[in-house]
Amino acid sequence: IRGSVIDAKGANIGGTRVTATNARGVVLTTRSNAEGVFVFDGLEPGESYSVSALSEDLVYRSVEVTLAKHSVDVILIPR
């Protein structure tokens, strides 16, 4: 899963904590880089994940994704 964290105006938000949780409850965590980009590598195709982000002053919607053979692009925007 690869994605971007942005604010309501479309600006990239770096340093945001991003989580991906699968159906078995396994939680993976990473942070977005300075350009707002995050990556979860090595995930199994066919698995479903709930991807969400939390920053100091913004709460983001969760995005539900199911992995295919290729990567999935996700854009996380505030609620």
Side-chain angles (χ1 to χ4, degrees):
I1 299 172
R2 174 184 168 90
S4 299
V5 180
I6 62 173
D7 67 13
K9 295 180 181 178
N12 297 328
I13 305 296
T16 301
R17 182 175 179 251
V18 182
T19 61
T21 306
N22 70 13
R24 296 184 314 264
V26 176
V27 179
L28 305 170
T29 304
T30 191
R31 289 205 176 265
S32 60
N33 66 16
E35 290 79 38
V37 175
F38 64 89
V39 177
F40 291 100
D41 285 322
L43 304 179
E44 290 294 319
E47 289 248 28
S48 294
Y49 289 86
S50 175
V51 182
S52 60
L54 180 64
S55 69
E56 290 181 18
D57 47 344
L58 295 172
V59 176
Y60 290 80
R61 295 189 290 225
S62 294
V63 176
E64 303 298 322
V65 297
T66 299
L67 298 180
K69 290 183 180 180
H70 305 287
S71 65
V72 175
D73 290 324
V74 175
I75 297 176
L76 297 172
I77 57 175
R79 290 187 204 191

